[in-house]
Amino acid sequence: MQGVPGQFTDTRDRAQFRHFPALPGVELYHAHITHHSFEPHTHEAFGIGAITAGAERFRYRGSQHIAAANSLIMMNPDELHTGQAETSDGWCYRMVYLDSPLLNALTGSQQWWFNEVVRDDPLRARQVCDLIFAIWHSHDDLSRDGLLLHLVDTIRPYAKCSGEDSATGRQRFTIVKAYLHDNYMHNITLSDLAGLLSLTPWHFQRQFTRQFHVTPHQMLMAIRLWRAKLFLAQGMPAAEVAAACGLADQSHLTRAFTRRYGITPVRYQKQVSC
């Protein structure tokens, strides 16, 4: 892969993704970020990985966190977060994103959850990084499946088998999130969303922001860009992706996608199609 997308202002910033046709529900990611700051974004999957060098500062669940080298990163689906360098040389990290149905199948549990987003565990962090590296470079489907199961077993001590406590406070907003997922391609107003819960627009926005630590618009954009990744991975041209996701045009898609994922849509599409 070539280096950094043209939109990066620091030539040391780079990011790579990888998919496997025989392993749906898995996305691998490797990046070194020095200057770029990620705006609030989400992943519709569990994120498991580790910091290999430097340190990152990010906001998650309304709190600031710092992840230094040899820290584990464990993120739940739908959790919006940011990301920026805490050290002058930035930070390097490897991640694997696992769709919930796949993780359920791998673990035999229907309610897998992480209460901690960062954990200082150098041994497991190195193991996770080595396993992600091995999966990335594996050319054998059976070997790749075994490595993935090993990775999940490595992180299992930090997982909870029930998400009920985390989900209880959000239960009322399930209908709102479902509406955003079903209508992301349309123009959505605050009044539309507030009406789903019979609240005034401003009362709704205060409760929504208190619950998710982001505005409704930020969550909508996160959903749109997650959908954009799916369409791009399927080979849809970027201009069509922008229209399908409710964005103004391809330039709007490129700016928003790069701010959140650190890579242009076209470069992302080339990487995941390899």
Side-chain angles (χ1 to χ4, degrees):
M1 295 294 177
Q2 296 182 359
V4 184
Q7 283 77 3
F8 280 140
T9 58
D10 192 306
T11 57
R12 292 172 293 177
D13 289 349
R14 57 185 182 272
Q16 291 179 272
F17 292 84
R18 187 163 189 187
H19 289 181
F20 300 99
L23 199 58
V26 175
E27 181 173 75
L28 300 181
Y29 176 68
H30 179 210
H32 177 197
I33 306 297
T34 300
H35 183 270
H36 188 76
S37 294
F38 293 97
E39 293 190 350
H41 64 282
T42 189
H43 304 283
E44 302 292 315
F46 287 90
I48 300 169
I51 309 295
T52 60
E56 174 195 15
R57 175 186 294 274
F58 63 99
R59 188 172 182 81
Y60 181 88
R61 293 184 185 167
S63 299
Q64 291 287 342
H65 301 271
I66 295 178
N70 294 320
S71 294
L72 284 171
I73 304 296
M74 301 163 287
M75 292 186 170
N76 300 308
D78 276 337
E79 297 284 3
L80 279 94
H81 54 281
T82 61
Q84 65 184 75
E86 177 67 10
T87 57
S88 59
D89 291 330
W91 82 102
C92 297
Y93 61 118
R94 292 184 180 272
M95 299 290 296
V96 57
Y97 297 101
L98 305 176
D99 286 353
S100 295
L102 175 62
L103 188 58
N104 292 342
L106 287 169
T107 62
S109 171
Q110 296 299 310
Q111 292 183 318
W112 182 278
W113 201 259
F114 295 116
N115 284 338
E116 296 179 280
V117 64
V118 178
R119 183 71 178 224
D120 182 23
D121 188 335
L123 176 59
R124 279 196 174 85
R126 287 192 293 270
Q127 290 173 336
V128 166
C129 282
D130 289 345
L131 287 165
I132 293 175
F133 181 88
I135 294 169
W136 188 295
H137 294 282
S138 175
H139 299 287
D140 180 88
D141 292 343
L142 187 60
S143 171
R144 192 179 297 128
D145 291 345
L147 290 166
L148 185 61
L149 185 59
H150 188 186
L151 188 150
V152 170
D153 287 341
T154 299
I155 207 75
R156 185 185 289 270
Y158 293 126
K160 305 298 180 182
C161 294
S162 174
E164 292 179 358
D165 291 341
S166 299
T168 299
R170 301 189 176 192
Q171 188 172 6
R172 188 184 183 196
F173 287 91
T174 298
I175 187 174
V176 178
K177 291 182 63 178
Y179 184 89
L180 290 173
H181 276 281
D182 292 341
N183 296 278
Y184 64 89
M185 70 294 294
H186 302 307
N187 181 44
I188 299 174
T189 68
L190 191 60
S191 295
D192 293 334
L193 299 178
L196 297 173
L197 299 182
S198 300
L199 298 174
T200 65
W202 302 118
H203 188 200
F204 166 82
Q205 177 152 286
R206 282 196 297 272
Q207 288 198 16
F208 186 98
T209 304
R210 185 181 303 116
Q211 184 63 53
F212 293 106
H213 311 294
V214 293
T215 66
H217 180 261
Q218 287 174 319
M219 180 169 286
L220 174 61
M221 283 300 297
I223 292 171
R224 284 173 168 171
L225 293 172
W226 169 69
R227 288 286 181 178
K229 288 175 66 179
L230 297 181
F231 291 142
L232 290 165
Q234 294 167 4
M236 184 183 291
E240 295 181 18
V241 171
C245 292
L247 301 174
D249 50 32
Q250 185 174 345
S251 295
H252 186 193
L253 171 66
T254 298
R255 291 193 302 272
F257 196 96
T258 303
R259 282 198 301 268
R260 284 163 174 78
Y261 297 124
I263 189 171
T264 65
V266 172
R267 188 176 294 276
Y268 172 82
Q269 188 171 62
K270 289 180 179 178
Q271 289 185 0
V272 301
S273 299
C274 292

